[in-house]
Amino acid sequence: MEILKQRRTIRKYQQKDISSDLLNDLLDSAFRASTVGNMQVYSVIVTRDAERKAKLAPAHFNQPMVKTAPVVLTFCIDLRRFTKWCEQRKATPGYNNLEWFVTGSVDALLAAQTFCVAAEEKGLGICYLGTTTYNPQMIIEALELPELFPITTVTVGWPAEEPAQVDRLSLEAIVHEETYHDYTPGDIDRLYAYKESLPENKQFILENNKETLAQVFTDVRYKKEDNEVMSENLWKVIKKQGF
């Protein structure tokens, strides 16, 4: 439990390989994660090759850890394998729809997080790449994916840094007893006060010439127009991949 409370994202790695035995053991552990219906409708693409990492990098806005991590793992929604099994056993599958896209997302993300916990327990460092769903078509091309969908990417390696932990909201902000309770203006002020007080976040406001930290998120980091363009592309690629 204490390991989990002390965890931090690692973006810089030693130039030291991860053995196949260790990686496969971690993946084997990850695949014991809970699933929806015990179907395991996900696959994981392991990328070690430098040229293949270079092909993946633009999809992740050339974040350096894509090329410098010894291993890049792309967790994919995969109904293809289960569908083929059904068809070869005289069963008629019906999984090319939104419900099973969500099911595949749940399965893949549970496996991904279980892998990360297991890897960190062994002293490895990980970084989730939220950019996976920004440019899925580029990842599909780089990894030669058929009717699969990349849902998240994890870089993993031996840490070459020990960064400070980033802030997290309190339990009070997130946990709701019995039913959901909505937030009053006073609640919002109190629950976000610590985040807003951090020197680095105050610096973000100054650097971006904004009045509040929230404006940094809405006007700079995750703009409405960008979100809409990415959403349109995401839906187009989801349909192209057979859902």
Side-chain angles (χ1 to χ4, degrees):
M1 186 69 72
E2 200 59 35
I3 292 175
L4 290 175
K5 289 182 178 179
Q6 296 301 318
R7 77 155 308 276
R8 59 206 70 211
T9 294
I10 302 297
R11 295 179 174 84
K12 295 180 181 179
Y13 306 101
Q14 300 175 39
Q15 293 306 297
K16 176 183 174 183
D17 201 7
I18 301 171
S19 72
S20 294
D21 286 347
L22 174 57
L23 183 64
N24 288 336
D25 186 57
L26 293 171
L27 288 168
D28 196 36
S29 297
F31 299 159
R32 297 304 307 172
S34 297
T35 70
V36 179
N38 195 27
M39 297 162 72
Q40 287 184 278
V41 287
Y42 58 85
S43 282
V44 184
I45 312 300
V46 179
T47 305
R48 293 180 181 270
D49 180 72
E51 289 186 12
R52 189 75 64 175
K53 290 178 194 173
K55 289 181 180 179
L56 280 173
H60 297 291
F61 299 99
N62 292 304
Q63 295 178 85
M65 54 275 196
V66 177
K67 292 183 179 180
T68 59
V71 175
V72 178
L73 301 176
T74 305
F75 289 79
C76 302
I77 301 166
D78 183 0
L79 277 299
R80 186 181 181 87
R81 181 182 62 248
F82 193 80
T83 293
K84 285 189 171 189
W85 176 67
C86 290
E87 291 171 342
Q88 288 180 209
R89 297 296 183 269
K90 301 179 182 180
T92 304
Y95 306 118
N96 58 338
N97 47 58
L98 179 60
E99 170 63 28
W100 284 91
F101 181 89
V102 173
T103 293
S105 299
V106 171
D107 276 13
L109 294 171
L110 284 170
Q113 182 57 23
T114 303
F115 171 85
C116 290
V117 172
E120 290 174 328
E121 188 177 35
K122 293 294 186 180
L124 290 160
I126 66 93
C127 179
Y128 272 102
L129 301 185
T131 44
T132 304
T133 55
Y134 292 2
N135 298 299
Q137 72 284 355
M138 297 171 70
I139 297 171
I140 289 165
E141 182 178 345
L143 297 180
E144 303 175 21
L145 302 179
E147 291 182 339
L148 278 66
F149 194 89
I151 197 68
T152 196
T153 302
V154 176
T155 61
V156 57
W158 302 103
E161 63 172 349
E162 190 174 355
Q165 284 188 300
V166 296
D167 62 284
R168 289 289 189 263
L169 294 174
S170 66
L171 264 67
E172 181 192 2
I174 299 170
V175 177
H176 302 255
E177 297 290 348
E178 307 299 342
T179 60
Y180 185 89
H181 65 269
D182 208 351
Y183 301 94
T184 66
D187 291 335
I188 295 298
D189 287 342
R190 184 178 72 261
L191 297 173
Y192 283 88
Y194 177 71
K195 180 183 287 286
E196 293 173 328
S197 72
L198 293 172
E200 58 267 33
N201 287 337
K202 290 182 177 180
Q203 185 62 30
F204 288 153
I205 296 170
L206 291 174
E207 289 174 353
N208 291 285
N209 196 28
K210 295 297 176 181
E211 183 181 354
T212 69
L213 181 62
Q215 290 173 352
V216 176
F217 281 86
T218 61
D219 301 354
V220 180
R221 297 185 66 182
Y222 306 109
K223 295 186 288 187
K224 182 176 187 290
E225 55 267 35
D226 293 342
N227 297 337
E228 290 174 346
V229 169
M230 287 188 291
S231 294
E232 184 177 347
N233 180 63
L234 183 61
W235 181 234
K236 180 176 71 175
V237 179
I238 288 171
K239 290 191 290 184
K240 184 179 179 182
Q241 290 304 101
F243 292 94

